[in-house]
Amino acid sequence: MADQTVLDEIAGERRPKAYRTLTDRFDHPAGTVVYKQVLYDYGLAADDTRGTGVPHVTVTLDPKGGYPGFTIPVSALERLDRAAQEATDAHP
């Protein structure tokens, strides 16, 4: 997940980038589709990164990038390509 931009152009619309989790995180099993949270995370990802030494980002289950969100290590995410994101958004 080296790409630092948050939004993608999907079907002519700006949407948060979509990822598939590679590990279980909280109550979400591996394989869960998540989206980059576009709202402020109050420093949670930065705190987790500093505390663990592993880069974290904040993601959400909301396709629009809203709350609630949770942090996850960057290494536990697989970027979905645009076609996969469009299919996931059409059939959640």
Side-chain angles (χ1 to χ4, degrees):
M1 195 179 106
D3 188 355
Q4 295 299 311
T5 59
V6 174
L7 299 176
D8 262 343
E9 187 78 26
I10 305 291
E13 198 178 301
R14 302 280 291 163
R15 297 187 194 169
K17 291 193 173 199
Y19 301 89
R20 186 174 321 279
T21 60
L22 301 175
T23 60
D24 294 350
R25 185 74 171 170
F26 304 114
D27 290 335
H28 309 293
T32 300
V33 174
V34 295
Y35 301 86
K36 180 71 177 91
Q37 183 172 299
V38 298
L39 302 175
Y40 189 63
D41 78 348
Y42 299 93
L44 294 175
D47 284 350
D48 285 353
T49 298
R50 276 191 301 274
T52 65
V54 176
H56 280 67
V57 293
T58 302
V59 296
T60 178
L61 300 177
D62 178 8
K64 294 183 180 180
Y67 294 126
F70 58 94
T71 65
I72 189 168
V74 171
S75 61
L77 295 172
E78 171 186 48
R79 177 78 168 89
L80 293 181
D81 62 26
R82 289 182 178 172
Q85 183 170 354
E86 288 174 345
T88 300
D89 289 352
H91 302 95

